[in-house]
Amino acid sequence: MTKKILLIIGILVIVGIAVFLIFFSTPTSPTGDSRVGFSIRDYLPFGNSGSNDQNSSTTDQTSTQISDDNLPNISIDQPIPRLRKISSEPVAGAAIFNTGTTSVVRFVEKGTGNVYEAKSDSHLIQRLTNTTIPKIVRAFWLPNGSGFLTQTLIAENEIIETNFVKLNKNVASSTVEILTPFSTTIGKLPTGIKEISIKPDGSKIFYYTLNGTYSNWFVSNPDGTNSNLVNSNPLTEWLPKWVSGNIVMIQNKGSSKSVGYNYSFDVSSKVFKKIGLGVVGISSNPKPDGSLALLSNGGSSPKLFLIDNKEVTSKATNENTLAEKCVWLKEKNPTALCAVPNGLPRGDYPDIWYKGLISTDDSIRRVDLSDNVSSNIADLYALSEEQIDVVDISISPDETHLIFRNKIDGYLWLLRIEE
């Protein structure tokens, strides 16, 4: 009789423990996130099945190490590679800035509009927002990474919509669960904006829209407020770049079938003038103070030139590349880092490259423009074992890192500069 009582008591104790585990215990996932469900295997001595349920809450972590077939699984203890792919999806735009001695990269995915952050001293790729902005065509970041202008194309009527996305730091509290470090505020700009350029200090933007056979040029705050019409022009295909102060450098869109020019436009005085030299298939990259410009011509093979805008003189370099594949360095002697194709098939440049009919395999070279001496900085294929056709190249303010997209697939790369 005593044995039966003890047996019944033992069964009741076991049942009570099981009920407690089911209703009152919330196991923690290996990544530290709280899970809604659980598996009874979690409580057995043999462990779990090893296949945790990955639901949407995992994408709301404040720190996410991106890992898929396109990015290598890197241990946190491994050295940070000199060249690394930092996006797992095509990127619409990115910004690089410094926090102390660390280079910080913020970028937005084309497909989702989610914002991520990478740092030069860490393997970690952190998701900053979970705001969905699908099918972004391009994104233009403020220099300090605090927000970006995004452009989407409405397929039904081919209208370009532009919005300003501001990042707002989330503040943790006892009542609100913080899933990502930032929330977003979205403001709408006029429809039909063709091109945008941001002032170097991030305080203003320059953009233009089309009105029949005229282009209307505007200056506004990044969110589109305080917009002012500053000029109208009968030409409708422009590439603006705000270089410094009130000066926006503007070039015709290049084609092997036409001669293009550079122009200077003062958004305050409204003075618009032609500068430099005109060339067929122009691609121009002005120095931040506007005194010099890197310029490449079109034709069977692009050639890189240094243009003195004040003296209206040109000097050929030894490099065959497009000017937009270069970034200026701050050195007193004019110097640039350029993505130079290892080989170029002959054709009608820059048209065949813009249209995606050919892709280049680039190396990064340092070009001393005063002495016309070049040196190799990085063979991108040797470092990545991938063909990289560099576009949207930018350099960190302390000139220690480069970022660029691969034109072939849209993925973003980070390169540590070493002499």
Side-chain angles (χ1 to χ4, degrees):
M1 187 68 178
T2 303
K3 289 182 178 181
K4 289 183 178 181
I5 293 173
L6 291 175
L7 181 60
I8 291 171
I9 292 173
I11 292 173
L12 291 175
V13 169
I14 292 172
V15 171
I17 292 173
V19 170
F20 175 82
L21 291 176
I22 292 172
F23 291 102
F24 298 100
S25 178
T26 306
T28 302
S29 70
T31 59
D33 290 331
S34 174
R35 294 183 297 167
V36 175
F38 79 103
S39 169
I40 192 66
R41 288 175 177 264
D42 295 332
Y43 298 102
L44 296 179
F46 308 107
N48 59 36
S49 63
S51 58
N52 295 327
D53 181 27
Q54 300 295 324
N55 55 39
S56 60
S57 66
T58 61
T59 62
D60 289 331
Q61 300 175 34
T62 58
S63 296
T64 304
Q65 175 67 52
I66 292 180
S67 177
D68 62 10
D69 294 337
N70 299 305
L71 286 175
N73 246 333
I74 301 175
S75 168
I76 198 101
D77 297 325
Q78 291 182 8
I80 297 173
R82 187 181 171 208
L83 174 67
R84 56 184 174 130
K85 186 189 295 184
I86 58 175
S87 71
S88 61
E89 297 291 340
V91 167
I96 184 167
F97 55 96
N98 286 120
T99 300
T101 59
T102 301
S103 294
V104 181
V105 183
R106 287 182 179 173
F107 59 93
V108 56
E109 290 183 345
K110 275 191 170 185
T112 65
N114 288 332
V115 175
Y116 292 84
E117 181 178 277
K119 295 182 179 179
S120 60
D121 58 0
S122 172
H123 289 290
L124 196 67
I125 308 296
Q126 184 180 27
R127 197 178 78 172
L128 301 186
T129 71
N130 59 4
T131 303
T132 300
I133 310 172
K135 299 181 181 179
I136 298 175
V137 178
R138 296 185 298 177
F140 304 84
W141 278 86
L142 298 184
N144 63 2
S146 62
F148 58 94
L149 291 135
T150 176
Q151 290 194 300
T152 56
L153 181 65
I154 302 175
E156 294 78 11
N157 47 25
E158 296 188 349
I159 293 177
I160 299 173
E161 285 196 340
T162 304
N163 293 282
F164 176 66
V165 182
K166 181 182 178 183
L167 303 186
N168 307 306
K169 185 72 174 178
N170 286 332
V171 179
S173 70
S174 58
T175 58
V176 179
E177 182 181 7
I178 302 301
L179 299 179
T180 54
F182 290 87
S183 60
T184 58
T185 301
I186 300 178
K188 186 175 178 58
L189 277 78
T191 58
I193 293 177
K194 299 291 287 183
E195 295 291 342
I196 300 171
S197 184
I198 300 174
K199 192 174 182 178
D201 64 6
S203 63
K204 297 288 182 179
I205 63 171
F206 174 93
Y207 65 88
Y208 79 87
T209 61
L210 298 183
N211 182 12
T213 59
Y214 275 75
S215 58
N216 290 328
W217 302 359
F218 296 88
V219 171
S220 76
N221 295 331
D223 61 2
T225 58
N226 294 331
S227 178
N228 294 304
L229 178 67
V230 291
N231 193 30
S232 292
N233 194 284
L235 296 180
T236 59
E237 296 292 330
W238 299 102
L239 290 175
K241 183 174 182 179
W242 201 321
V243 289
S244 63
N246 295 320
I247 303 300
V248 178
M249 304 290 281
I250 303 176
Q251 72 159 76
N252 305 116
K253 289 188 176 180
S255 170
S256 62
K257 303 296 189 288
S258 63
V259 176
Y261 293 89
N262 272 325
Y263 300 85
S264 171
F265 179 65
D266 189 315
V267 300
S268 179
S269 67
K270 314 298 190 299
V271 173
F272 178 62
K273 59 183 179 180
K274 185 185 297 184
I275 61 172
L277 301 170
V279 299
V280 172
I282 188 173
S283 171
S284 178
N285 188 342
K287 193 177 180 182
D289 65 4
S291 62
L292 303 172
L294 285 168
L295 185 147
S296 58
N297 62 352
S300 60
S301 180
K303 181 74 174 177
L304 190 66
F305 295 84
L306 174 65
I307 305 297
D308 188 318
N309 290 328
K310 295 180 180 178
E311 302 296 329
V312 196
T313 59
S314 67
K315 179 180 179 181
T317 73
N318 295 323
E319 305 298 344
N320 292 90
T321 189
L322 296 167
E324 61 200 79
K325 284 178 173 278
C326 300
V327 290
W328 287 90
L329 296 179
K330 298 174 185 175
E331 298 181 11
K332 185 176 180 181
N333 291 329
T335 309
L337 296 180
C338 296
V340 179
N342 296 321
L344 276 172
R346 292 193 171 272
D348 292 329
Y349 287 92
D351 306 52
I352 60 172
W353 185 72
Y354 289 148
K355 294 176 181 178
L357 301 178
I358 63 107
S359 295
T360 63
D361 179 16
D362 296 343
S363 292
I364 303 298
R365 294 181 62 79
R366 177 190 173 94
V367 185
D368 185 328
L369 297 160
S370 57
D371 298 329
N372 201 10
V373 175
S374 300
S375 59
N376 198 52
I377 296 296
D379 184 331
L380 300 182
Y381 184 83
L383 292 172
S384 66
E385 297 185 349
E386 292 189 34
Q387 180 183 349
I388 300 178
D389 185 355
V390 170
V391 291
D392 299 334
I393 186 170
S394 298
I395 192 167
S396 60
D398 64 1
E399 298 187 342
T400 60
H401 290 82
L402 289 174
I403 58 170
F404 44 81
R405 291 192 310 116
N406 187 351
K407 187 173 180 289
I408 297 171
D409 56 22
Y411 287 58
L412 187 66
W413 293 79
L414 175 64
L415 172 69
R416 185 171 67 251
I417 300 170
E418 296 175 352
E419 296 293 340

